[in-house]
Amino acid sequence: MIKYLKTSMTSEPSGGDPGPGITIAGVRFSKVPRVLIAKPGLDGHDRGAKYIAKALRDAGMEVIYTGIRQSPDDIAITAVQEDVDVVGLSLLSGAHTALFPRVIASLKKQGGGDIPVIGGGIIPEEDVPDLLKAGVGAIFTPGTRIEDVIAEIKRLLEKQP
Amino acid sequence: MIIQRTLDVSQLTKQLTGDSLVEGMSDAWRSRVRALSRAITFLENDPLLAMSVLGNAQFETIAPPSRVIGLTGLPGSGKSSLTNLMVRSLRKAGKTVAVLAVDPSSPLSGGAVLGDRVRMQEHFRDPGVFIRSMGSRGALGGVARSTRGAVRLAGILGFDAIIVETVGIGQSESEIVELADTTVLVLMPNSGDEVQLMKAGVLQLADIYVINKSDLASPARMMNELHENTAPSDPEAWCPAILPTSATNEEGIDKLVAAIQSHAAYEQTHPKGLEVRKQRAIKEILRALHNVIEPDFLQAIEKVPAEQLNEVVAGKRPALAIAYELAQKFTRKIN
Ligand SMILES: Nc1nc2c(ncn2[C@@H]2O[C@H](COP(=O)(O)OP(=O)(O)O)[C@@H](O)[C@H]2O)c(=O)[nH]1
Ligand SMILES: [Mg+2]
């Protein structure tokens, strides 16, 4: 069972107790991480995406799953409304060089430019450096072990401010 | 798993009303939606700090109250599919809609897979629709502890309707009745066990009963049983609507939306309806009071001497006696 998390205030409201309508600036709070697992592109296979989703759930994350054939705008809008800490794209269709930058651009437009994007699926090793340069947070090539995927996502989540 | 984030609450409250824009954004509505989603996260992780956002008196005057519609019923009964179609129908009528969809959290890891959105894809790019998935996070009443706060936050943005889809596991779904203005119970034809529960009074709380999946089997018998078990003895009370639907064939949805509207009209004009709303407000205050005061209670309990606690453990002193003593201290403080 989840215990309610303690929030610490980095700047105390004057007068001690937080009351109605108080103004507090920097509140540091603990949260359960939220992850969007999305499937852009045209292929209809979501076994891999669902497998990742369950693994992340078992690692204690809340995973928002939206189904197949999502456009970059669909993904960005969902990421923002769900306030996720990271967006994971599952790609099998080979359109990754086009899709990643479009998702990143769309996120910026929706006010989610701070949300890191990662991806996995069928992505050849040689494309990885360019994708990382284009702002993708991490890429998992075929054969990456699920434990390594989880460890990397955890690292990314803890790195953010 | 737990991570740390920082939030500027005073900035956030301004962004919610649109008095200030989220950094880097020029579209006022999108910016408010971004602020809403951040605010929900904040409440979700620390419901006790809800006051620091929702206590802002300024919010009360900016938007007329949204209509809150609760959807409950067993997992798989079609709540998300019906929500999708209800949103479509409300949008056609020019109404803006927020959806809060609660799914169960894993009691083992605290994580969750939240998949209600899969059925609502057609609305993702509609700026008049906001959808938020929530993990139940250990709460057993069908909604998360922060769902009510999330409803109130969405209200600040002035959505015409707010639909809450509950977890829908069985019997302890009564919290939705307190939270929603109109509660819809989604049943299926031939789900005889549920009618047994109704007879026990457990599920006799809804304002509208929907028998979904009526394409699979005739809803007639179920409807009869419902009529027998839900008709109020008081002729002035709201008489629950009982409607067959098929989300798959998109049938019965307009009637469902119309029934929700008549229930709203009843509550807004009929003296009995006004009384029901008053009772709901009292319950909301009571629950909020409970949430606000709980940390103080816990602190007080921590100060109970160990020997007294041991006596309770050993069955030599009733827990109620300790509670009574503590309560007297608190009431003295209030008076
Ligand atoms: N035949 C039929 N299937 C339906 C109907 N409504 C929903 N379903 C299916 O029932 C399953 C569960 O639906 P969902 O909306 O996710 O239910 P929820 O768990 O209550 O939110 C899905 O496979 C839907 O396609 C209906 O009216 N008729
Ligand atoms: Mg559902």
Side-chain angles (χ1 to χ4, degrees):
Chain A
M1 269 316 111
I2 293 176
K3 278 259 160 60
Y4 280 91
L5 311 168
K6 268 261 183 292
T7 299
S8 70
M9 284 175 220
T10 47
S11 66
E12 277 291 328
S14 54
D17 243 18
I22 50 157
T23 51
I24 33 180
V27 176
R28 191 93 180 135
F29 68 105
S30 309
K31 76 183 289 279
V32 177
R34 287 166 67 86
V35 180
L36 170 61
I37 296 293
K39 265 202 68 63
L42 293 177
D43 75 275
H45 299 282
D46 61 355
R47 270 234 311 267
K50 283 183 174 162
Y51 176 68
I52 292 280
K54 289 206 178 102
L56 295 178
R57 174 199 62 194
D58 294 340
M61 305 178 200
E62 282 184 356
V63 184
I64 290 86
Y65 182 68
T66 59
I68 55 174
R69 300 204 177 95
Q70 297 290 288
S71 75
D73 280 346
D74 287 333
I75 293 169
I77 290 166
T78 298
V80 163
Q81 295 189 355
E82 298 287 353
D83 196 26
V84 296
D85 302 288
V86 60
V87 173
L89 303 184
S90 162
L91 287 154
L92 296 172
S93 60
H96 48 274
T97 39
L99 278 169
F100 275 111
R102 283 172 59 203
V103 170
I104 290 170
S106 193
L107 270 171
K108 281 202 183 108
K109 201 174 71 190
Q110 299 296 336
D114 53 330
I115 306 173
V117 180
I118 61 175
I122 302 178
I123 297 171
E125 291 280 358
E126 60 266 28
D127 291 347
V128 173
D130 281 346
L131 288 173
L132 294 179
K133 227 181 279 164
V136 179
I139 296 285
F140 306 106
T141 50
T144 316
R145 295 182 326 153
I146 187 80
E147 304 85 64
D148 295 332
V149 174
I150 290 169
E152 178 64 18
I153 292 177
K154 279 190 171 166
R155 199 187 55 77
L156 248 178
L157 286 168
E158 271 154 9
K159 205 176 74 181
Q160 288 173 71
Chain B
M1 188 195 168
I2 300 302
I3 55 175
Q4 300 282 314
R5 289 290 182 267
T6 304
L7 184 82
D8 186 330
V9 175
S10 32
Q11 188 63 20
L12 182 81
T13 41
K14 283 191 212 129
Q15 292 165 347
L16 275 170
T17 56
D19 289 338
S20 146
L21 294 181
V22 171
E23 203 178 322
M25 299 197 79
S26 56
D27 180 320
W29 176 251
R30 269 199 212 140
S31 163
R32 289 181 74 190
V33 166
R34 182 72 184 118
L36 171 62
S37 79
R38 285 191 173 137
I40 293 176
T41 302
F42 184 57
L43 293 206
E44 213 167 26
N45 290 286
D46 198 334
L48 298 179
L49 266 178
M51 208 51 199
S52 63
V53 181
L54 283 168
N56 196 317
Q58 193 194 351
F59 291 150
E60 282 156 29
T61 52
I62 62 170
S66 314
R67 193 74 197 161
V68 184
I69 303 157
L71 233 65
T72 184
L74 290 180
S77 56
K79 296 180 295 298
S80 301
S81 310
L82 287 170
T83 299
N84 178 52
L85 296 172
M86 280 162 56
V87 172
R88 195 194 289 170
S89 171
L90 288 162
R91 290 298 292 143
K92 272 204 193 115
K95 307 230 186 277
T96 54
V97 192
V99 176
L100 303 170
V102 191
D103 268 329
S105 299
S106 156
L108 297 177
S109 73
V113 175
L114 310 173
D116 291 318
R117 259 183 182 269
V118 174
R119 314 228 178 270
M120 306 176 198
Q121 290 183 359
E122 66 179 83
H123 305 296
F124 287 0
R125 272 170 288 169
D126 180 348
V129 180
F130 173 85
I131 305 170
R132 178 65 174 238
S133 319
M134 306 180 88
S136 62
R137 302 202 178 183
L140 297 174
V143 295
R145 193 163 168 195
S146 53
T147 303
R148 191 192 292 270
V151 165
R152 295 294 172 244
L153 283 170
I156 295 166
L157 270 71
F159 287 99
D160 295 309
I162 300 173
I163 302 180
V164 179
E165 179 185 334
T166 73
V167 174
I169 303 176
Q171 314 187 5
S172 55
E173 297 277 304
S174 52
E175 206 173 324
I176 191 65
V177 180
E178 280 177 35
L179 200 159
D181 299 316
T182 301
T183 300
V184 180
L185 175 62
V186 183
L187 301 157
M188 293 174 276
N190 302 330
S191 44
D193 295 351
E194 286 173 279
V195 175
Q196 292 308 315
L197 283 177
M198 305 236 0
K199 283 182 184 154
V202 181
L203 298 180
Q204 221 167 11
L205 297 162
D207 303 302
I208 297 171
Y209 295 83
V210 160
I211 299 145
N212 190 40
K213 306 202 184 183
S214 290
D215 53 300
L216 295 180
S218 165
R221 211 201 61 188
M222 187 86 170
M223 288 178 73
N224 281 337
E225 291 215 28
L226 283 170
H227 277 296
E228 281 165 23
N229 285 293
T230 63
S233 43
D234 177 356
E236 292 292 299
W238 166 257
C239 182
I242 298 164
L243 306 164
T245 61
S246 163
T248 305
N249 296 341
E250 303 182 2
E251 279 163 11
I253 310 303
D254 290 339
K255 286 211 177 101
L256 170 56
V257 172
I260 290 168
Q261 274 154 2
S262 352
H263 183 247
Y266 170 84
E267 282 205 339
Q268 273 147 13
T269 52
H270 198 285
K272 272 257 152 86
L274 292 174
E275 184 54 32
V276 171
R277 286 166 69 197
K278 209 172 98 189
Q279 290 305 322
R280 209 158 47 222
I282 289 171
K283 279 197 181 142
E284 177 166 1
I285 295 170
L286 182 63
R287 203 172 272 272
L289 179 63
H290 184 267
N291 284 344
V292 168
I293 221 157
E294 191 178 286
D296 293 338
F297 284 174
L298 282 173
Q299 247 180 23
I301 294 169
E302 274 166 24
K303 286 186 202 138
V304 171
E307 52 288 8
Q308 283 189 25
L309 213 54
N310 288 337
E311 283 172 25
V312 176
V313 175
K316 286 182 190 143
R317 184 195 279 260
L320 184 63
I322 295 191
Y324 191 74
E325 257 171 54
L326 292 174
Q328 280 189 323
K329 280 186 206 155
F330 277 98
T331 32
R332 264 204 299 278
K333 223 166 146 187
I334 291 168
N335 299 330

